mmCIF file of all heavy atoms in Angstrom:
data_model
loop_
_atom_site.group_PDB
_atom_site.id
_atom_site.type_symbol
_atom_site.label_atom_id
_atom_site.label_comp_id
_atom_site.label_asym_id
_atom_site.label_seq_id
_atom_site.Cartn_x
_atom_site.Cartn_y
_atom_site.Cartn_z
ATOM 1 N N ASP A 110 11.213 32.841 13.641
ATOM 2 C CA ASP A 110 12.477 32.402 14.243
ATOM 3 C C ASP A 110 12.766 30.990 13.892
ATOM 4 O O ASP A 110 11.838 30.142 13.841
ATOM 5 C CB ASP A 110 12.359 32.544 15.749
ATOM 6 C CG ASP A 110 12.307 33.960 16.213
ATOM 7 O OD1 ASP A 110 12.709 34.827 15.436
ATOM 8 O OD2 ASP A 110 11.754 34.228 17.362
ATOM 9 N N ILE A 112 13.955 27.296 14.526
ATOM 10 C CA ILE A 112 13.976 26.376 15.666
ATOM 11 C C ILE A 112 14.795 25.159 15.320
ATOM 12 O O ILE A 112 14.492 24.439 14.386
ATOM 13 C CB ILE A 112 12.578 26.003 16.061
ATOM 14 C CG1 ILE A 112 11.713 27.283 16.391
ATOM 15 C CG2 ILE A 112 12.575 25.046 17.254
ATOM 16 C CD1 ILE A 112 10.281 26.953 16.697
ATOM 17 N N ASP A 126 9.507 -4.999 2.432
ATOM 18 C CA ASP A 126 8.330 -4.554 1.634
ATOM 19 C C ASP A 126 8.086 -5.649 0.609
ATOM 20 O O ASP A 126 8.625 -5.564 -0.514
ATOM 21 C CB ASP A 126 8.589 -3.188 1.018
ATOM 22 C CG ASP A 126 7.416 -2.719 0.215
ATOM 23 O OD1 ASP A 126 6.347 -3.382 0.188
ATOM 24 O OD2 ASP A 126 7.508 -1.640 -0.471
ATOM 25 N N PHE A 146 14.635 9.995 11.149
ATOM 26 C CA PHE A 146 13.545 10.886 10.751
ATOM 27 C C PHE A 146 13.964 12.111 9.939
ATOM 28 O O PHE A 146 13.314 12.483 8.953
ATOM 29 C CB PHE A 146 12.712 11.283 12.012
ATOM 30 C CG PHE A 146 11.620 12.245 11.664
ATOM 31 C CD1 PHE A 146 10.425 11.756 11.168
ATOM 32 C CD2 PHE A 146 11.688 13.596 11.873
ATOM 33 C CE1 PHE A 146 9.319 12.613 10.897
ATOM 34 C CE2 PHE A 146 10.655 14.465 11.580
ATOM 35 C CZ PHE A 146 9.437 13.979 11.087
ATOM 36 N N ALA A 158 20.912 -10.716 1.266
ATOM 37 C CA ALA A 158 19.914 -11.680 1.871
ATOM 38 C C ALA A 158 19.581 -12.745 0.858
ATOM 39 O O ALA A 158 19.694 -12.555 -0.333
ATOM 40 C CB ALA A 158 18.706 -10.928 2.314
ATOM 41 N N GLY A 178 18.623 -3.165 -7.486
ATOM 42 C CA GLY A 178 18.270 -2.645 -6.205
ATOM 43 C C GLY A 178 17.091 -3.309 -5.517
ATOM 44 O O GLY A 178 16.541 -2.801 -4.565
ATOM 45 N N ASP A 183 10.690 -13.440 -12.058
ATOM 46 C CA ASP A 183 9.974 -13.165 -13.272
ATOM 47 C C ASP A 183 8.814 -14.132 -13.459
ATOM 48 O O ASP A 183 9.036 -15.325 -13.763
ATOM 49 C CB ASP A 183 10.948 -13.308 -14.434
ATOM 50 C CG ASP A 183 10.344 -12.733 -15.730
ATOM 51 O OD1 ASP A 183 9.087 -12.496 -15.752
ATOM 52 O OD2 ASP A 183 11.042 -12.611 -16.762
ATOM 53 N N ALA A 195 -1.845 -20.640 0.305
ATOM 54 C CA ALA A 195 -1.130 -20.079 1.425
ATOM 55 C C ALA A 195 0.333 -19.959 1.091
ATOM 56 O O ALA A 195 0.985 -20.855 0.473
ATOM 57 C CB ALA A 195 -1.326 -20.960 2.676
ATOM 58 N N LYS A 214 -6.684 -14.180 -0.989
ATOM 59 C CA LYS A 214 -8.144 -14.231 -0.907
ATOM 60 C C LYS A 214 -8.765 -13.876 -2.268
ATOM 61 O O LYS A 214 -8.077 -13.329 -3.161
ATOM 62 C CB LYS A 214 -8.671 -13.313 0.167
ATOM 63 C CG LYS A 214 -8.159 -13.638 1.590
ATOM 64 C CD LYS A 214 -8.696 -14.996 2.037
ATOM 65 C CE LYS A 214 -8.312 -15.252 3.466
ATOM 66 N NZ LYS A 214 -8.869 -16.510 3.945
ATOM 67 N N ARG A 215 -10.054 -14.211 -2.420
ATOM 68 C CA ARG A 215 -10.745 -13.905 -3.681
ATOM 69 C C ARG A 215 -10.918 -12.384 -3.834
ATOM 70 O O ARG A 215 -10.899 -11.693 -2.858
ATOM 71 C CB ARG A 215 -12.105 -14.575 -3.706
ATOM 72 C CG ARG A 215 -13.018 -14.020 -2.542
ATOM 73 C CD ARG A 215 -14.346 -14.816 -2.489
ATOM 74 N NE ARG A 215 -15.224 -14.145 -1.523
ATOM 75 C CZ ARG A 215 -16.489 -14.498 -1.344
ATOM 76 N NH1 ARG A 215 -17.010 -15.520 -2.043
ATOM 77 N NH2 ARG A 215 -17.262 -13.873 -0.496
ATOM 78 N N THR A 252 -16.937 -12.305 4.375
ATOM 79 C CA THR A 252 -16.380 -10.969 4.579
ATOM 80 C C THR A 252 -15.162 -10.814 3.724
ATOM 81 O O THR A 252 -14.207 -11.588 3.810
ATOM 82 C CB THR A 252 -16.046 -10.767 6.060
ATOM 83 O OG1 THR A 252 -17.170 -10.894 6.875
ATOM 84 C CG2 THR A 252 -15.500 -9.309 6.238
ATOM 85 N N ILE A 257 -7.876 -0.579 -2.592
ATOM 86 C CA ILE A 257 -8.091 0.008 -3.925
ATOM 87 C C ILE A 257 -6.957 1.046 -4.137
ATOM 88 O O ILE A 257 -6.810 1.999 -3.350
ATOM 89 C CB ILE A 257 -9.477 0.736 -3.960
ATOM 90 C CG1 ILE A 257 -10.594 -0.302 -3.580
ATOM 91 C CG2 ILE A 257 -9.714 1.285 -5.354
ATOM 92 C CD1 ILE A 257 -11.554 0.283 -2.652
ATOM 93 N N THR A 297 -10.269 9.342 -7.653
ATOM 94 C CA THR A 297 -9.791 10.579 -8.205
ATOM 95 C C THR A 297 -9.134 11.435 -7.165
ATOM 96 O O THR A 297 -9.592 11.537 -6.009
ATOM 97 C CB THR A 297 -11.026 11.369 -8.734
ATOM 98 O OG1 THR A 297 -11.700 10.625 -9.768
ATOM 99 C CG2 THR A 297 -10.579 12.741 -9.367
ATOM 100 N N LYS A 358 15.628 -7.712 14.551
ATOM 101 C CA LYS A 358 14.216 -7.483 14.276
ATOM 102 C C LYS A 358 14.060 -6.884 12.916
ATOM 103 O O LYS A 358 14.800 -5.974 12.515
ATOM 104 C CB LYS A 358 13.615 -6.592 15.334
ATOM 105 C CG LYS A 358 12.098 -6.247 15.155
ATOM 106 C CD LYS A 358 11.610 -5.342 16.189
ATOM 107 C CE LYS A 358 10.141 -5.004 16.061
ATOM 108 N NZ LYS A 358 9.640 -4.072 17.097
ATOM 109 N N LEU A 360 11.382 -4.873 10.379
ATOM 110 C CA LEU A 360 10.112 -4.153 10.241
ATOM 111 C C LEU A 360 9.500 -4.447 8.915
ATOM 112 O O LEU A 360 10.083 -5.063 8.019
ATOM 113 C CB LEU A 360 10.413 -2.693 10.406
ATOM 114 C CG LEU A 360 11.100 -2.199 11.699
ATOM 115 C CD1 LEU A 360 11.389 -0.695 11.652
ATOM 116 C CD2 LEU A 360 10.325 -2.624 12.924
ATOM 117 N N SER A 366 -2.080 -10.655 -2.631
ATOM 118 C CA SER A 366 -3.319 -10.170 -3.144
ATOM 119 C C SER A 366 -3.710 -10.766 -4.461
ATOM 120 O O SER A 366 -2.867 -11.032 -5.310
ATOM 121 C CB SER A 366 -3.291 -8.674 -3.402
ATOM 122 O OG SER A 366 -3.173 -7.967 -2.166
#
Side-chain angles (χ1 to χ4, degrees):
D110 292 340
I112 301 176
D126 180 4
F146 178 78
D183 190 352
K214 299 295 186 178
R215 64 183 186 175
T252 302
I257 307 135
T297 300
K358 179 180 180 180
L360 305 177
S366 292

